[in-house]
Amino acid sequence: MQAVFDGHNDVLLRLWQHARGGTDPIAEFIEGTDKGHIDVPRAKAGGLAGGLCAIYIPSGDLVLRMPDRNGHYVTPLSEPLDRLPSLVMAIELADIAMRLDRAGAWRLCRSTGEIRRAMADGIFAAVLHMEGCEAIGPDLAALETFHAAGLRSLGPVWSRHNVFGHGVPFAYPSSPDTGPGLTEAGFELVRACNRLGILIDLAHITEKGFWDVAETTDQPLVASHSNAHVLTPVARNLTDRQLDAIRESRGLVGLNYATTMLRADGQENAATPLSDMVRHVDYMVERVGIDCVALGSDFDGATIPEEIADAAGNQKLVAALRSAGYGDGELTRICRENWLRVLGEAWHEAA
Ligand SMILES: [Zn+2]
């Protein structure tokens, strides 16, 4: 079994939503459920040892557009969110993360040393991530507080616009060059993350925003849950030029398990073979090298291949990669070491 540290999940949102329906989110995570993708029993079964856990505020108006008869679709961007309700919900999601830590259900980690200790202890190593920073505010007034609460990674935007920048829509086929990039506040946010040691995630940002971050940040370039645009030309995937920039910065791209981002036809369809996942890994390894490819499942945030089904099926991908020729040393890097390297760099840990 290869222990996996994974670059993106939305388990906090699922637990928050179930909590509103009267379920105890801590018990659900510890005891397990058949809903969604991640809990302690399924993570253990699939060797999912930890990952970046998103504080993500969903858009109420988001309805994915059905493909037309050519298989093309463009879902319009959701409306920008108001700050105050976003802040309230972000605090509630962070609260669940801290309650899980207090209960020993997972360990909230702030350094790669803490991640390694949690994994060695067999406790899920959670790192707090913010996917779209509506809760932070244009003056960054809440950034230090979230950092103190354990926030160690953030994407300035999700797939909508906010005060920091512009996100890409869910569209096929589409270039990621769909609009403007960072705002002035967005550049300030990037500089603040560099100072504080918070990883900047380029998933969901426009191509212009990608280059804006690239020319501003002192960190390796990281897209936590994105795939190769040349294989699946959705706006969320990365062009060869973007992949080349990731390689040059010794950054990382995390394989997204969302079928819309894996399949050549860009469709949401659970009957997607593991070979589509392997194809993206092969291509990205070829393009950026074995040290810059990792995993970013999007568990609890996307329709994923039915062969994986949930966190318990994670080793099926590892087995498929092994069958495709990846050795133990390569799998170790893809499954966890590449993530630990870039996190250590972004967090100013001495090598
Ligand atoms: Zn996402």
Side-chain angles (χ1 to χ4, degrees):
M1 184 121 84
Q2 277 284 353
V4 170
F5 183 88
D6 181 84
H8 190 84
N9 73 69
D10 286 303
V11 68
L12 286 171
L13 175 64
R14 189 194 87 217
L15 295 173
W16 180 90
Q17 286 168 333
H18 289 180
R20 295 190 106 201
T23 309
D24 175 355
I26 312 306
E28 174 171 333
F29 190 77
I30 293 175
E31 289 158 21
T33 172
D34 57 1
K35 299 178 180 69
H37 296 147
I38 300 181
D39 49 47
V40 171
R42 289 183 291 179
K44 275 204 192 319
L48 183 67
L52 287 142
C53 302
I55 293 174
Y56 163 65
I57 317 298
S59 281
D61 61 346
L62 181 73
V63 182
L64 292 175
R65 277 292 158 80
M66 292 305 289
D68 66 18
R69 60 195 164 83
N70 296 314
H72 298 179
Y73 55 87
V74 181
T75 299
L77 285 175
S78 297
E79 286 299 306
L81 299 180
D82 291 332
R83 182 176 176 214
L84 203 54
S86 303
L87 179 59
V88 170
M89 182 168 169
I91 289 171
E92 292 178 3
L93 290 162
D95 213 77
I96 292 174
M98 288 188 243
R99 287 165 61 199
L100 288 166
D101 180 85
R102 187 176 295 280
W106 74 15
R107 207 173 287 162
L108 210 48
C109 298
R110 295 168 166 82
S111 69
T112 58
E114 289 181 356
I115 294 172
R116 288 188 191 281
R117 270 194 297 282
M119 293 199 299
D121 292 344
I123 298 174
F124 189 95
V127 172
L128 211 49
H129 167 77
M130 187 174 279
E131 187 175 30
C133 289
E134 283 84 354
I136 298 288
D139 48 4
L140 311 186
L143 186 61
E144 287 275 6
T145 300
F146 278 106
H147 179 268
L151 188 72
R152 289 296 179 276
S153 169
L154 63 77
V157 297
W158 184 68
S159 282
R160 66 192 162 222
H161 303 328
N162 67 22
V163 294
F164 300 113
H166 300 264
V168 290
F170 297 97
Y172 175 95
S174 170
S175 155
D177 187 14
T178 58
L182 292 176
T183 63
E184 269 316 306
F187 281 105
E188 272 309 312
L189 177 62
V190 169
R191 286 188 277 265
C193 287
N194 283 181
R195 279 197 303 276
L196 285 168
I198 298 176
L199 179 84
I200 298 151
D201 181 13
L202 296 160
H204 290 280
I205 202 164
T206 57
E207 183 172 1
K208 177 73 167 63
F210 180 102
W211 300 120
D212 284 346
V213 173
E215 70 183 30
T216 310
T217 187
D218 59 15
Q219 298 174 4
L221 302 180
V222 169
S224 67
H225 56 306
S226 297
N227 297 334
H229 191 270
V230 72
L231 300 181
T232 306
V234 287
R236 273 278 285 109
N237 281 341
L238 300 166
T239 65
D240 284 349
R241 262 190 82 212
Q242 290 176 297
L243 290 171
D244 292 347
I246 285 173
R247 183 195 66 227
E248 279 155 32
S249 74
R250 289 213 0 111
L252 173 160
V253 54
L255 179 78
N256 194 322
Y257 300 3
T259 65
T260 52
M261 295 169 67
L262 289 169
R263 299 168 61 87
D265 64 9
Q267 304 290 303
E268 184 172 21
N269 181 352
T272 295
L274 295 179
S275 58
D276 278 351
M277 306 177 84
V278 173
R279 209 162 53 101
H280 276 273
V281 171
D282 281 346
Y283 184 84
M284 294 195 290
V285 166
E286 178 76 20
R287 194 86 199 178
V288 304
I290 194 73
D291 290 322
C292 300
V293 177
L295 303 179
S297 64
D298 220 345
F299 279 139
D300 282 313
T303 297
I304 66 171
E306 61 197 4
E307 282 186 71
I308 303 284
D310 56 29
N314 216 26
Q315 293 295 315
K316 291 182 186 167
L317 171 61
V318 178
L321 291 171
R322 200 183 293 281
S323 300
Y326 293 89
D328 274 329
E330 293 167 316
L331 290 172
T332 299
R333 282 181 267 183
I334 291 173
C335 289
R336 58 184 180 279
E337 290 302 324
N338 291 341
W339 261 119
L340 289 169
R341 174 180 60 79
V342 296
L343 289 174
E345 285 184 35
W347 297 346
H348 307 156
E349 295 177 2

